[in-house]
Amino acid sequence: MPTSETNDFFHGSVGVVQTNIVTFESLTLEGGETITPLEIAYETYGTLNEKKDNAILVCHALSGDAHAAGFHEGDKRPGWWDYYIGPGKAFDTNRYFIISSNVIGGCKGSSGPLSKNGKTGSTFQSTFPFVSIGDMVNAQEKLVRHFGIHKLFAVAGGSMGGMQALQWSVAYPDRLKNCIVMASSSEHSAQQIAFNEVGRQAILSDPNWNQGLYTQDKRPSKGLALARMMGHITYLSDEMMREKFGRKPPKGNIQSTDFAVGSYLIYQGESFVDRFDANSYIYVTKALDHFSLGTGKELTKVLAKVRCRFLVIAYTSDWLYPPYQSEEIVKSLEVNAVPVSFIELNNPAGHDSFLLPSEEQDSILRDFLSATDEGGFF
């Protein structure tokens, strides 16, 4: 159970929660293949009102899952966005019904490489079909309809979650009232694809890779750890790393590195292996790289169909998803006369800024949702 100290820090927690799984008959993917059955892992916080018009879908980033807020039984750490979800918080569960689901292709309960293939009786592993950001959103739409919700009050997310939010506004323009996009992009640049490719190659080069048909007791753990180390570097800013690590030596007897930043990355890589699957890492990063609503005139044309209001947040220190990519989204929305508010926060934490506690960010999210809820403008 969470300690009193933890509860004090995360004041207003939704408390102890659990992840649920709903099963649908099937989902036809954009590539033409079908997932049968379709399983979606999800959590909800708050209460769906009688009109069913107070629901907010929160979309997670690459390594996230359905557990966005509260505590699982026995856990000392809350969900990945607990600071912002709960009674009295930005995503106020006294006011809104929050839905968070694990993306398909992931490894935290929704259909993905770890799912069992009904035809063979074994897990799919690398034989699972390719899934896109569009497929992830189409699966979420089934979940939303499962609750009897016709129109979401908002869809929100950062990084890959921001891409899902964008995709919702394009694929289901009449199904959401507001869209919150944080630290994200309308498509990956060559540099962003390059970072992901290095991570995938680390996994594919692991002696235990076995074409993705590895056993759980002989996984490509070293490759996945290296992929995570590479990714984690891009999540932090130079300023944050200098302040946190400098050129300090590691603590303890760490023989594999001479610097604190090295031991930190090793820890991040090794702990990631315990909670994520190598195949899922490949599937999800490929979904990221293949996502494209276009840029410039192409993006403007695609966003001409949206019908919701937008809040777009970028971070000055984010060099993985730099602010200019958010500004491109904003410009395309403005050309289409779509109501949009853009804020660039000078948070030194880098790409991870959207995940971290911030009173300023909390206030921005709270004000945007409240103004919309009351029919006003942000």
Side-chain angles (χ1 to χ4, degrees):
M1 289 292 293
T3 63
S4 58
E5 181 180 344
T6 305
N7 272 332
D8 287 342
F9 184 76
F10 292 95
H11 177 68
S13 171
V14 295
V16 177
V17 299
Q18 64 179 19
T19 302
N20 302 296
I21 295 180
V22 61
T23 302
F24 300 97
E25 184 177 347
S26 64
L27 174 70
T28 300
L29 304 175
E30 291 181 338
E33 298 190 64
T34 301
I35 298 176
T36 307
L38 170 69
E39 293 184 320
I40 301 178
Y42 71 93
E43 292 186 7
T44 64
Y45 323 104
T47 304
L48 185 62
N49 65 17
E50 191 173 333
K51 293 182 179 179
K52 297 187 177 182
D53 62 359
N54 68 330
I56 298 176
L57 176 68
V58 170
C59 306
H60 68 75
L62 190 157
S63 61
D65 53 29
H67 184 40
F71 295 82
H72 283 167
E73 192 71 46
D75 283 355
K76 293 183 179 180
R77 297 183 63 181
W80 55 268
W81 231 19
D82 189 81
Y83 184 86
Y84 299 99
I85 300 173
K89 299 181 181 181
F91 294 90
D92 188 351
T93 50
N94 290 329
R95 198 173 197 176
Y96 308 114
F97 177 65
I98 313 298
I99 306 168
S100 175
S101 66
N102 181 220
V103 297
I104 59 172
C107 55
K108 298 297 182 69
S110 292
S111 293
L114 292 181
S115 300
K116 186 166 289 188
N117 184 337
K119 296 179 180 178
T120 66
S122 302
T123 53
F124 279 100
Q125 296 184 287
S126 58
T127 66
F128 193 75
F130 170 80
V131 296
S132 66
I133 297 294
D135 294 324
M136 295 173 182
V137 166
N138 290 339
Q140 291 166 351
E141 194 273 338
K142 281 182 174 287
L143 178 63
V144 170
R145 277 196 284 120
H146 170 72
F147 288 108
I149 299 166
H150 173 70
K151 191 168 189 174
L152 289 161
F153 181 74
V155 180
S159 193
M160 186 179 82
M163 292 181 181
Q164 294 166 62
L166 265 178
Q167 179 65 23
W168 259 96
S169 74
V170 171
Y172 301 100
D174 298 319
R175 300 289 303 280
L176 68 162
K177 188 175 182 180
N178 300 284
C179 186
I180 300 174
V181 180
M182 309 168 72
S184 197
S185 172
S186 61
E187 70 172 20
H188 267 185
S189 66
Q191 184 184 60
Q192 290 161 331
I193 294 171
F195 286 132
N196 282 340
E197 186 60 37
V198 171
R200 290 191 291 264
Q201 289 299 321
I203 295 171
L204 269 57
S205 300
D206 191 295
N208 292 336
W209 168 240
N210 192 32
Q211 302 301 310
L213 302 177
Y214 47 84
T215 59
Q216 286 305 300
D217 59 351
K218 199 174 183 181
R219 297 172 293 163
S221 299
K222 186 64 176 177
L224 180 58
L226 287 171
R228 180 59 172 180
M229 289 170 68
M230 177 66 196
H232 206 78
I233 293 170
T234 68
Y235 304 153
L236 306 177
S237 69
D238 178 55
E239 179 183 350
M240 175 66 75
M241 294 179 83
R242 278 189 287 113
E243 181 180 324
K244 188 177 180 71
F245 305 109
R247 294 178 56 85
K248 293 181 288 188
K251 294 180 180 179
N253 185 24
I254 307 265
Q255 298 180 0
S256 58
T257 180
D258 297 328
F259 299 97
V261 66
S263 62
Y264 169 79
L265 290 174
I266 291 170
Y267 168 78
Q268 291 295 329
E270 291 179 347
S271 60
F272 187 67
V273 168
D274 295 331
R275 65 183 181 87
F276 215 80
D277 173 62
N279 273 314
S280 284
Y281 191 90
I282 290 174
Y283 276 80
V284 176
T285 57
K286 283 193 173 184
L288 279 166
D289 291 344
H290 283 274
F291 176 72
S292 176
L293 296 182
T295 57
K297 291 182 179 179
E298 183 183 5
L299 178 60
T300 299
K301 184 178 179 180
V302 170
L303 293 180
K305 65 181 73 174
V306 304
R307 297 289 181 270
C308 60
R309 298 175 66 245
F310 277 79
L311 169 64
V312 179
I313 302 178
Y315 306 87
T316 303
S317 62
D318 184 356
W319 60 278
L320 177 60
Y321 287 76
Y324 81 83
Q325 292 186 319
S326 292
E327 289 171 359
E328 262 206 287
I329 297 169
V330 173
K331 288 176 183 176
S332 291
L333 290 169
E334 288 176 337
V335 169
N336 286 302
V338 176
V340 55
S341 296
F342 173 61
I343 296 174
E344 182 178 330
L345 295 178
N346 189 23
N347 188 320
H351 182 62
D352 269 356
S353 294
F354 76 95
L355 288 169
L356 302 176
S358 163
E359 290 185 9
E360 183 179 19
Q361 182 166 281
D362 178 87
S363 178
I364 291 166
L365 293 168
R366 185 191 306 272
D367 290 349
F368 176 76
L369 292 171
S370 294
T372 308
D373 203 9
E374 295 162 4
F377 291 89
F378 182 60

